[in-house]
PDB file of all heavy atoms in Angstrom:
ATOM      1  N   GLN K 132     -21.557  24.860  -2.324  1.00  0.00           N
ATOM      2  CA  GLN K 132     -22.530  25.210  -1.286  1.00  0.00           C
ATOM      3  C   GLN K 132     -23.957  25.127  -1.817  1.00  0.00           C
ATOM      4  O   GLN K 132     -24.851  24.638  -1.135  1.00  0.00           O
ATOM      5  CB  GLN K 132     -22.254  26.607  -0.711  1.00  0.00           C
ATOM      6  CG  GLN K 132     -23.151  26.943   0.480  1.00  0.00           C
ATOM      7  CD  GLN K 132     -23.000  25.951   1.636  1.00  0.00           C
ATOM      8  OE1 GLN K 132     -21.882  25.659   2.075  1.00  0.00           O
ATOM      9  NE2 GLN K 132     -24.111  25.413   2.126  1.00  0.00           N
ATOM     10  N   THR K 133     -24.155  25.557  -3.051  1.00  0.00           N
ATOM     11  CA  THR K 133     -25.490  25.455  -3.659  1.00  0.00           C
ATOM     12  C   THR K 133     -25.903  23.994  -3.781  1.00  0.00           C
ATOM     13  O   THR K 133     -27.042  23.635  -3.482  1.00  0.00           O
ATOM     14  CB  THR K 133     -25.496  26.133  -5.044  1.00  0.00           C
ATOM     15  OG1 THR K 133     -25.110  27.500  -4.872  1.00  0.00           O
ATOM     16  CG2 THR K 133     -26.856  26.061  -5.693  1.00  0.00           C
ATOM     17  N   ALA K 134     -24.974  23.133  -4.197  1.00  0.00           N
ATOM     18  CA  ALA K 134     -25.274  21.705  -4.314  1.00  0.00           C
ATOM     19  C   ALA K 134     -25.619  21.109  -2.946  1.00  0.00           C
ATOM     20  O   ALA K 134     -26.553  20.309  -2.827  1.00  0.00           O
ATOM     21  CB  ALA K 134     -24.090  20.970  -4.941  1.00  0.00           C
ATOM     22  N   LEU K 135     -24.880  21.509  -1.923  1.00  0.00           N
ATOM     23  CA  LEU K 135     -25.182  21.030  -0.567  1.00  0.00           C
ATOM     24  C   LEU K 135     -26.549  21.513  -0.096  1.00  0.00           C
ATOM     25  O   LEU K 135     -27.288  20.766   0.553  1.00  0.00           O
ATOM     26  CB  LEU K 135     -24.101  21.495   0.408  1.00  0.00           C
ATOM     27  CG  LEU K 135     -22.747  20.801   0.288  1.00  0.00           C
ATOM     28  CD1 LEU K 135     -21.705  21.553   1.103  1.00  0.00           C
ATOM     29  CD2 LEU K 135     -22.830  19.350   0.694  1.00  0.00           C
ATOM     30  N   ASP K 136     -26.898  22.748  -0.439  1.00  0.00           N
ATOM     31  CA  ASP K 136     -28.211  23.281  -0.066  1.00  0.00           C
ATOM     32  C   ASP K 136     -29.337  22.488  -0.733  1.00  0.00           C
ATOM     33  O   ASP K 136     -30.336  22.146  -0.088  1.00  0.00           O
ATOM     34  CB  ASP K 136     -28.319  24.760  -0.441  1.00  0.00           C
ATOM     35  CG  ASP K 136     -27.432  25.662   0.407  1.00  0.00           C
ATOM     36  OD1 ASP K 136     -26.966  25.212   1.481  1.00  0.00           O
ATOM     37  OD2 ASP K 136     -27.190  26.816  -0.015  1.00  0.00           O
ATOM     38  N   PHE K 137     -29.178  22.183  -2.018  1.00  0.00           N
ATOM     39  CA  PHE K 137     -30.191  21.384  -2.725  1.00  0.00           C
ATOM     40  C   PHE K 137     -30.298  19.988  -2.119  1.00  0.00           C
ATOM     41  O   PHE K 137     -31.384  19.446  -1.970  1.00  0.00           O
ATOM     42  CB  PHE K 137     -29.892  21.299  -4.223  1.00  0.00           C
ATOM     43  CG  PHE K 137     -30.351  22.496  -4.994  1.00  0.00           C
ATOM     44  CD1 PHE K 137     -29.433  23.296  -5.659  1.00  0.00           C
ATOM     45  CD2 PHE K 137     -31.696  22.835  -5.063  1.00  0.00           C
ATOM     46  CE1 PHE K 137     -29.851  24.417  -6.367  1.00  0.00           C
ATOM     47  CE2 PHE K 137     -32.126  23.950  -5.781  1.00  0.00           C
ATOM     48  CZ  PHE K 137     -31.197  24.740  -6.430  1.00  0.00           C
ATOM     49  N   ARG K 138     -29.151  19.403  -1.763  1.00  0.00           N
ATOM     50  CA  ARG K 138     -29.157  18.078  -1.135  1.00  0.00           C
ATOM     51  C   ARG K 138     -29.927  18.127   0.185  1.00  0.00           C
ATOM     52  O   ARG K 138     -30.733  17.248   0.489  1.00  0.00           O
ATOM     53  CB  ARG K 138     -27.725  17.601  -0.911  1.00  0.00           C
ATOM     54  CG  ARG K 138     -27.651  16.218  -0.301  1.00  0.00           C
ATOM     55  CD  ARG K 138     -26.244  15.772  -0.089  1.00  0.00           C
ATOM     56  NE  ARG K 138     -25.707  16.380   1.119  1.00  0.00           N
ATOM     57  CZ  ARG K 138     -24.659  15.934   1.780  1.00  0.00           C
ATOM     58  NH1 ARG K 138     -23.994  14.893   1.332  1.00  0.00           N
ATOM     59  NH2 ARG K 138     -24.242  16.522   2.878  1.00  0.00           N
ATOM     60  N   TYR K 139     -29.704  19.160   0.963  1.00  0.00           N
ATOM     61  CA  TYR K 139     -30.402  19.333   2.238  1.00  0.00           C
ATOM     62  C   TYR K 139     -31.906  19.458   2.027  1.00  0.00           C
ATOM     63  O   TYR K 139     -32.706  18.807   2.710  1.00  0.00           O
ATOM     64  CB  TYR K 139     -29.861  20.557   2.973  1.00  0.00           C
ATOM     65  CG  TYR K 139     -30.701  20.956   4.161  1.00  0.00           C
ATOM     66  CD1 TYR K 139     -30.652  20.227   5.344  1.00  0.00           C
ATOM     67  CD2 TYR K 139     -31.571  22.038   4.092  1.00  0.00           C
ATOM     68  CE1 TYR K 139     -31.442  20.578   6.428  1.00  0.00           C
ATOM     69  CE2 TYR K 139     -32.362  22.399   5.172  1.00  0.00           C
ATOM     70  CZ  TYR K 139     -32.297  21.666   6.332  1.00  0.00           C
ATOM     71  OH  TYR K 139     -33.081  22.004   7.395  1.00  0.00           O
ATOM     72  N   LEU K 140     -32.309  20.300   1.061  1.00  0.00           N
ATOM     73  CA  LEU K 140     -33.741  20.495   0.799  1.00  0.00           C
ATOM     74  C   LEU K 140     -34.397  19.205   0.307  1.00  0.00           C
ATOM     75  O   LEU K 140     -35.531  18.897   0.682  1.00  0.00           O
ATOM     76  CB  LEU K 140     -33.942  21.625  -0.213  1.00  0.00           C
ATOM     77  CG  LEU K 140     -33.573  23.023   0.300  1.00  0.00           C
ATOM     78  CD1 LEU K 140     -33.627  24.037  -0.842  1.00  0.00           C
ATOM     79  CD2 LEU K 140     -34.474  23.430   1.456  1.00  0.00           C
ATOM     80  N   ALA K 141     -33.694  18.444  -0.512  1.00  0.00           N
ATOM     81  CA  ALA K 141     -34.241  17.168  -0.998  1.00  0.00           C
ATOM     82  C   ALA K 141     -34.411  16.184   0.154  1.00  0.00           C
ATOM     83  O   ALA K 141     -35.422  15.469   0.236  1.00  0.00           O
ATOM     84  CB  ALA K 141     -33.335  16.584  -2.080  1.00  0.00           C
ATOM     85  N   ALA K 142     -33.442  16.137   1.064  1.00  0.00           N
ATOM     86  CA  ALA K 142     -33.544  15.245   2.221  1.00  0.00           C
ATOM     87  C   ALA K 142     -34.703  15.664   3.123  1.00  0.00           C
ATOM     88  O   ALA K 142     -35.446  14.822   3.642  1.00  0.00           O
ATOM     89  CB  ALA K 142     -32.227  15.253   3.001  1.00  0.00           C
ATOM     90  N   LYS K 143     -34.866  16.962   3.279  1.00  0.00           N
ATOM     91  CA  LYS K 143     -35.967  17.479   4.088  1.00  0.00           C
ATOM     92  C   LYS K 143     -37.315  17.089   3.472  1.00  0.00           C
ATOM     93  O   LYS K 143     -38.235  16.659   4.174  1.00  0.00           O
ATOM     94  CB  LYS K 143     -35.830  19.003   4.174  1.00  0.00           C
ATOM     95  CG  LYS K 143     -36.633  19.668   5.225  1.00  0.00           C
ATOM     96  CD  LYS K 143     -36.248  21.143   5.304  1.00  0.00           C
ATOM     97  CE  LYS K 143     -37.179  21.891   6.201  1.00  0.00           C
ATOM     98  NZ  LYS K 143     -36.864  23.314   6.262  1.00  0.00           N
ATOM     99  N   ALA K 144     -37.429  17.198   2.151  1.00  0.00           N
ATOM    100  CA  ALA K 144     -38.661  16.816   1.455  1.00  0.00           C
ATOM    101  C   ALA K 144     -38.923  15.317   1.607  1.00  0.00           C
ATOM    102  O   ALA K 144     -40.065  14.901   1.819  1.00  0.00           O
ATOM    103  CB  ALA K 144     -38.578  17.203  -0.020  1.00  0.00           C
ATOM    104  N   ARG K 145     -37.886  14.495   1.515  1.00  0.00           N
ATOM    105  CA  ARG K 145     -38.053  13.042   1.675  1.00  0.00           C
ATOM    106  C   ARG K 145     -38.563  12.700   3.071  1.00  0.00           C
ATOM    107  O   ARG K 145     -39.396  11.806   3.228  1.00  0.00           O
ATOM    108  CB  ARG K 145     -36.732  12.314   1.394  1.00  0.00           C
ATOM    109  CG  ARG K 145     -36.422  12.186  -0.079  1.00  0.00           C
ATOM    110  CD  ARG K 145     -35.268  11.225  -0.336  1.00  0.00           C
ATOM    111  NE  ARG K 145     -34.042  11.599   0.355  1.00  0.00           N
ATOM    112  CZ  ARG K 145     -33.147  12.466  -0.095  1.00  0.00           C
ATOM    113  NH1 ARG K 145     -33.330  13.065  -1.252  1.00  0.00           N
ATOM    114  NH2 ARG K 145     -32.055  12.726   0.596  1.00  0.00           N
ATOM    115  N   ARG K 146     -38.073  13.416   4.079  1.00  0.00           N
ATOM    116  CA  ARG K 146     -38.558  13.170   5.448  1.00  0.00           C
ATOM    117  C   ARG K 146     -40.043  13.493   5.582  1.00  0.00           C
ATOM    118  O   ARG K 146     -40.737  12.931   6.423  1.00  0.00           O
ATOM    119  CB  ARG K 146     -37.732  13.978   6.455  1.00  0.00           C
ATOM    120  CG  ARG K 146     -36.367  13.386   6.732  1.00  0.00           C
ATOM    121  CD  ARG K 146     -35.691  14.027   7.931  1.00  0.00           C
ATOM    122  NE  ARG K 146     -35.486  15.458   7.801  1.00  0.00           N
ATOM    123  CZ  ARG K 146     -34.419  16.030   7.239  1.00  0.00           C
ATOM    124  NH1 ARG K 146     -33.453  15.279   6.744  1.00  0.00           N
ATOM    125  NH2 ARG K 146     -34.311  17.346   7.184  1.00  0.00           N
ATOM    126  N   ARG K 147     -40.540  14.400   4.751  1.00  0.00           N
ATOM    127  CA  ARG K 147     -41.976  14.743   4.759  1.00  0.00           C
ATOM    128  C   ARG K 147     -42.764  13.824   3.827  1.00  0.00           C
ATOM    129  O   ARG K 147     -43.958  14.019   3.639  1.00  0.00           O
ATOM    130  CB  ARG K 147     -42.158  16.195   4.311  1.00  0.00           C
ATOM    131  CG  ARG K 147     -41.715  17.213   5.338  1.00  0.00           C
ATOM    132  CD  ARG K 147     -42.158  18.613   4.956  1.00  0.00           C
ATOM    133  NE  ARG K 147     -41.879  18.918   3.573  1.00  0.00           N
ATOM    134  CZ  ARG K 147     -40.958  19.782   3.138  1.00  0.00           C
ATOM    135  NH1 ARG K 147     -40.235  20.451   3.987  1.00  0.00           N
ATOM    136  NH2 ARG K 147     -40.771  19.992   1.856  1.00  0.00           N
ATOM    137  N   GLY K 148     -42.102  12.866   3.203  1.00  0.00           N
ATOM    138  CA  GLY K 148     -42.792  11.920   2.335  1.00  0.00           C
ATOM    139  C   GLY K 148     -42.824  12.312   0.867  1.00  0.00           C
ATOM    140  O   GLY K 148     -43.470  11.651   0.071  1.00  0.00           O
ATOM    141  N   LYS K 149     -42.146  13.380   0.488  1.00  0.00           N
ATOM    142  CA  LYS K 149     -42.112  13.801  -0.921  1.00  0.00           C
ATOM    143  C   LYS K 149     -40.863  13.229  -1.566  1.00  0.00           C
ATOM    144  O   LYS K 149     -39.738  13.544  -1.178  1.00  0.00           O
ATOM    145  CB  LYS K 149     -42.081  15.319  -1.036  1.00  0.00           C
ATOM    146  CG  LYS K 149     -43.370  15.979  -0.678  1.00  0.00           C
ATOM    147  CD  LYS K 149     -43.298  17.442  -1.036  1.00  0.00           C
ATOM    148  CE  LYS K 149     -44.698  17.968  -1.243  1.00  0.00           C
ATOM    149  NZ  LYS K 149     -44.699  19.188  -1.992  1.00  0.00           N
ATOM    150  N   TYR K 150     -41.084  12.387  -2.564  1.00  0.00           N
ATOM    151  CA  TYR K 150     -39.960  11.756  -3.245  1.00  0.00           C
ATOM    152  C   TYR K 150     -39.895  12.216  -4.685  1.00  0.00           C
ATOM    153  O   TYR K 150     -40.879  12.158  -5.409  1.00  0.00           O
ATOM    154  CB  TYR K 150     -40.083  10.227  -3.187  1.00  0.00           C
ATOM    155  CG  TYR K 150     -39.894   9.700  -1.783  1.00  0.00           C
ATOM    156  CD1 TYR K 150     -40.980   9.531  -0.935  1.00  0.00           C
ATOM    157  CD2 TYR K 150     -38.636   9.404  -1.316  1.00  0.00           C
ATOM    158  CE1 TYR K 150     -40.803   9.069   0.358  1.00  0.00           C
ATOM    159  CE2 TYR K 150     -38.439   8.934  -0.020  1.00  0.00           C
ATOM    160  CZ  TYR K 150     -39.532   8.773   0.800  1.00  0.00           C
ATOM    161  OH  TYR K 150     -39.350   8.313   2.083  1.00  0.00           O
ATOM    162  N   GLU K 151     -38.733  12.690  -5.072  1.00  0.00           N
ATOM    163  CA  GLU K 151     -38.478  13.082  -6.460  1.00  0.00           C
ATOM    164  C   GLU K 151     -38.125  11.823  -7.245  1.00  0.00           C
ATOM    165  O   GLU K 151     -37.914  10.753  -6.681  1.00  0.00           O
ATOM    166  CB  GLU K 151     -37.300  14.066  -6.504  1.00  0.00           C
ATOM    167  CG  GLU K 151     -37.494  15.308  -5.669  1.00  0.00           C
ATOM    168  CD  GLU K 151     -38.088  16.447  -6.466  1.00  0.00           C
ATOM    169  OE1 GLU K 151     -37.887  16.481  -7.682  1.00  0.00           O
ATOM    170  OE2 GLU K 151     -38.762  17.288  -5.842  1.00  0.00           O
ATOM    171  N   LYS K 152     -38.026  11.983  -8.546  1.00  0.00           N
ATOM    172  CA  LYS K 152     -37.529  10.880  -9.360  1.00  0.00           C
ATOM    173  C   LYS K 152     -36.075  10.620  -8.981  1.00  0.00           C
ATOM    174  O   LYS K 152     -35.354  11.537  -8.588  1.00  0.00           O
ATOM    175  CB  LYS K 152     -37.584  11.248 -10.846  1.00  0.00           C
ATOM    176  CG  LYS K 152     -38.972  11.390 -11.398  1.00  0.00           C
ATOM    177  CD  LYS K 152     -38.890  11.745 -12.860  1.00  0.00           C
ATOM    178  CE  LYS K 152     -40.260  12.000 -13.427  1.00  0.00           C
ATOM    179  NZ  LYS K 152     -40.192  12.453 -14.812  1.00  0.00           N
ATOM    180  N   GLY K 153     -35.639   9.405  -9.125  1.00  0.00           N
ATOM    181  CA  GLY K 153     -34.235   9.072  -8.860  1.00  0.00           C
ATOM    182  C   GLY K 153     -33.351   9.586  -9.988  1.00  0.00           C
ATOM    183  O   GLY K 153     -33.824  10.239 -10.919  1.00  0.00           O
ATOM    184  N   PRO K 154     -32.079   9.284  -9.916  1.00  0.00           N
ATOM    185  CA  PRO K 154     -31.180   9.741 -10.972  1.00  0.00           C
ATOM    186  C   PRO K 154     -31.496   9.053 -12.303  1.00  0.00           C
ATOM    187  O   PRO K 154     -32.046   7.946 -12.332  1.00  0.00           O
ATOM    188  CB  PRO K 154     -29.795   9.342 -10.473  1.00  0.00           C
ATOM    189  CG  PRO K 154     -30.029   8.293  -9.448  1.00  0.00           C
ATOM    190  CD  PRO K 154     -31.391   8.533  -8.882  1.00  0.00           C
ATOM    191  N   LYS K 155     -31.150   9.732 -13.375  1.00  0.00           N
ATOM    192  CA  LYS K 155     -31.335   9.142 -14.704  1.00  0.00           C
ATOM    193  C   LYS K 155     -30.439   7.916 -14.833  1.00  0.00           C
ATOM    194  O   LYS K 155     -29.393   7.843 -14.174  1.00  0.00           O
ATOM    195  CB  LYS K 155     -30.939  10.153 -15.784  1.00  0.00           C
ATOM    196  CG  LYS K 155     -31.799  11.386 -15.819  1.00  0.00           C
ATOM    197  CD  LYS K 155     -31.272  12.337 -16.890  1.00  0.00           C
ATOM    198  CE  LYS K 155     -31.899  13.701 -16.750  1.00  0.00           C
ATOM    199  NZ  LYS K 155     -31.251  14.687 -17.603  1.00  0.00           N
ATOM    200  N   PRO K 156     -30.811   6.972 -15.679  1.00  0.00           N
ATOM    201  CA  PRO K 156     -29.938   5.812 -15.888  1.00  0.00           C
ATOM    202  C   PRO K 156     -28.568   6.261 -16.398  1.00  0.00           C
ATOM    203  O   PRO K 156     -28.453   7.233 -17.144  1.00  0.00           O
ATOM    204  CB  PRO K 156     -30.672   5.000 -16.952  1.00  0.00           C
ATOM    205  CG  PRO K 156     -32.095   5.446 -16.880  1.00  0.00           C
ATOM    206  CD  PRO K 156     -32.044   6.884 -16.442  1.00  0.00           C
ATOM    207  N   PHE K 157     -27.537   5.543 -15.966  1.00  0.00           N
ATOM    208  CA  PHE K 157     -26.173   5.831 -16.398  1.00  0.00           C
ATOM    209  C   PHE K 157     -26.029   5.396 -17.857  1.00  0.00           C
ATOM    210  O   PHE K 157     -26.357   4.272 -18.212  1.00  0.00           O
ATOM    211  CB  PHE K 157     -25.182   5.078 -15.506  1.00  0.00           C
ATOM    212  CG  PHE K 157     -23.775   5.530 -15.655  1.00  0.00           C
ATOM    213  CD1 PHE K 157     -23.334   6.691 -15.035  1.00  0.00           C
ATOM    214  CD2 PHE K 157     -22.882   4.811 -16.428  1.00  0.00           C
ATOM    215  CE1 PHE K 157     -22.031   7.117 -15.176  1.00  0.00           C
ATOM    216  CE2 PHE K 157     -21.578   5.227 -16.576  1.00  0.00           C
ATOM    217  CZ  PHE K 157     -21.152   6.385 -15.946  1.00  0.00           C
ATOM    218  N   THR K 158     -25.521   6.289 -18.702  1.00  0.00           N
ATOM    219  CA  THR K 158     -25.460   6.018 -20.140  1.00  0.00           C
ATOM    220  C   THR K 158     -24.024   5.979 -20.651  1.00  0.00           C
ATOM    221  O   THR K 158     -23.089   6.374 -19.958  1.00  0.00           O
ATOM    222  CB  THR K 158     -26.209   7.110 -20.930  1.00  0.00           C
ATOM    223  OG1 THR K 158     -25.503   8.351 -20.779  1.00  0.00           O
ATOM    224  CG2 THR K 158     -27.652   7.267 -20.449  1.00  0.00           C
ATOM    225  N   GLU K 159     -23.886   5.552 -21.867  1.00  0.00           N
ATOM    226  CA  GLU K 159     -22.582   5.567 -22.534  1.00  0.00           C
ATOM    227  C   GLU K 159     -22.089   7.008 -22.682  1.00  0.00           C
ATOM    228  O   GLU K 159     -20.883   7.266 -22.591  1.00  0.00           O
ATOM    229  CB  GLU K 159     -22.672   4.865 -23.898  1.00  0.00           C
ATOM    230  CG  GLU K 159     -21.332   4.598 -24.525  1.00  0.00           C
ATOM    231  CD  GLU K 159     -20.392   3.754 -23.658  1.00  0.00           C
ATOM    232  OE1 GLU K 159     -20.859   2.815 -22.988  1.00  0.00           O
ATOM    233  OE2 GLU K 159     -19.184   4.057 -23.634  1.00  0.00           O
ATOM    234  N   HIS K 160     -22.995   7.938 -22.885  1.00  0.00           N
ATOM    235  CA  HIS K 160     -22.626   9.352 -22.959  1.00  0.00           C
ATOM    236  C   HIS K 160     -22.029   9.819 -21.631  1.00  0.00           C
ATOM    237  O   HIS K 160     -21.031  10.556 -21.610  1.00  0.00           O
ATOM    238  CB  HIS K 160     -23.845  10.209 -23.323  1.00  0.00           C
ATOM    239  CG  HIS K 160     -23.548  11.663 -23.409  1.00  0.00           C
ATOM    240  ND1 HIS K 160     -23.753  12.516 -22.350  1.00  0.00           N
ATOM    241  CD2 HIS K 160     -23.029  12.402 -24.411  1.00  0.00           C
ATOM    242  CE1 HIS K 160     -23.366  13.736 -22.701  1.00  0.00           C
ATOM    243  NE2 HIS K 160     -22.934  13.696 -23.945  1.00  0.00           N
ATOM    244  N   ASP K 161     -22.631   9.398 -20.517  1.00  0.00           N
ATOM    245  CA  ASP K 161     -22.085   9.723 -19.194  1.00  0.00           C
ATOM    246  C   ASP K 161     -20.668   9.168 -19.050  1.00  0.00           C
ATOM    247  O   ASP K 161     -19.766   9.847 -18.564  1.00  0.00           O
ATOM    248  CB  ASP K 161     -22.955   9.139 -18.075  1.00  0.00           C
ATOM    249  CG  ASP K 161     -24.337   9.755 -18.017  1.00  0.00           C
ATOM    250  OD1 ASP K 161     -24.483  10.959 -18.304  1.00  0.00           O
ATOM    251  OD2 ASP K 161     -25.288   9.013 -17.677  1.00  0.00           O
ATOM    252  N   ARG K 162     -20.488   7.936 -19.484  1.00  0.00           N
ATOM    253  CA  ARG K 162     -19.187   7.275 -19.395  1.00  0.00           C
ATOM    254  C   ARG K 162     -18.127   8.055 -20.196  1.00  0.00           C
ATOM    255  O   ARG K 162     -17.028   8.318 -19.722  1.00  0.00           O
ATOM    256  CB  ARG K 162     -19.315   5.842 -19.932  1.00  0.00           C
ATOM    257  CG  ARG K 162     -18.162   4.943 -19.640  1.00  0.00           C
ATOM    258  CD  ARG K 162     -18.476   3.504 -20.083  1.00  0.00           C
ATOM    259  NE  ARG K 162     -19.706   2.968 -19.550  1.00  0.00           N
ATOM    260  CZ  ARG K 162     -19.859   2.477 -18.318  1.00  0.00           C
ATOM    261  NH1 ARG K 162     -18.853   2.466 -17.486  1.00  0.00           N
ATOM    262  NH2 ARG K 162     -21.014   2.006 -17.911  1.00  0.00           N
ATOM    263  N   GLN K 163     -18.495   8.480 -21.402  1.00  0.00           N
ATOM    264  CA  GLN K 163     -17.562   9.224 -22.254  1.00  0.00           C
ATOM    265  C   GLN K 163     -17.295  10.615 -21.680  1.00  0.00           C
ATOM    266  O   GLN K 163     -16.167  11.099 -21.721  1.00  0.00           O
ATOM    267  CB  GLN K 163     -18.091   9.321 -23.686  1.00  0.00           C
ATOM    268  CG  GLN K 163     -17.034   9.739 -24.679  1.00  0.00           C
ATOM    269  CD  GLN K 163     -15.810   8.809 -24.673  1.00  0.00           C
ATOM    270  OE1 GLN K 163     -15.931   7.591 -24.776  1.00  0.00           O
ATOM    271  NE2 GLN K 163     -14.640   9.384 -24.533  1.00  0.00           N
ATOM    272  N   SER K 164     -18.322  11.250 -21.127  1.00  0.00           N
ATOM    273  CA  SER K 164     -18.137  12.561 -20.483  1.00  0.00           C
ATOM    274  C   SER K 164     -17.157  12.452 -19.322  1.00  0.00           C
ATOM    275  O   SER K 164     -16.309  13.329 -19.120  1.00  0.00           O
ATOM    276  CB  SER K 164     -19.463  13.110 -19.972  1.00  0.00           C
ATOM    277  OG  SER K 164     -20.325  13.409 -21.030  1.00  0.00           O
ATOM    278  N   PHE K 165     -17.270  11.370 -18.558  1.00  0.00           N
ATOM    279  CA  PHE K 165     -16.352  11.142 -17.447  1.00  0.00           C
ATOM    280  C   PHE K 165     -14.915  11.010 -17.950  1.00  0.00           C
ATOM    281  O   PHE K 165     -14.001  11.663 -17.435  1.00  0.00           O
ATOM    282  CB  PHE K 165     -16.749   9.892 -16.656  1.00  0.00           C
ATOM    283  CG  PHE K 165     -15.704   9.495 -15.663  1.00  0.00           C
ATOM    284  CD1 PHE K 165     -15.590  10.182 -14.466  1.00  0.00           C
ATOM    285  CD2 PHE K 165     -14.807   8.481 -15.953  1.00  0.00           C
ATOM    286  CE1 PHE K 165     -14.597   9.853 -13.557  1.00  0.00           C
ATOM    287  CE2 PHE K 165     -13.816   8.143 -15.047  1.00  0.00           C
ATOM    288  CZ  PHE K 165     -13.707   8.829 -13.851  1.00  0.00           C
ATOM    289  N   ILE K 166     -14.706  10.162 -18.939  1.00  0.00           N
ATOM    290  CA  ILE K 166     -13.355   9.958 -19.476  1.00  0.00           C
ATOM    291  C   ILE K 166     -12.777  11.275 -19.985  1.00  0.00           C
ATOM    292  O   ILE K 166     -11.630  11.620 -19.691  1.00  0.00           O
ATOM    293  CB  ILE K 166     -13.370   8.896 -20.595  1.00  0.00           C
ATOM    294  CG1 ILE K 166     -13.721   7.524 -20.019  1.00  0.00           C
ATOM    295  CG2 ILE K 166     -12.021   8.845 -21.319  1.00  0.00           C
ATOM    296  CD1 ILE K 166     -14.059   6.480 -21.062  1.00  0.00           C
TER     297      ILE K 166
END
Side-chain angles (χ1 to χ4, degrees):
Q132 186 59 50
T133 302
L135 288 168
D136 291 344
F137 278 117
R138 182 180 80 161
Y139 169 75
L140 292 172
K143 195 172 171 182
R145 282 192 303 275
R146 283 192 301 272
R147 288 191 313 250
K149 288 189 156 199
Y150 292 91
E151 303 267 333
K152 292 180 184 175
K155 296 178 193 170
F157 193 79
T158 66
E159 191 58 38
H160 180 265
D161 295 326
R162 193 173 307 281
Q163 195 56 51
S164 294
F165 170 78
I166 293 167

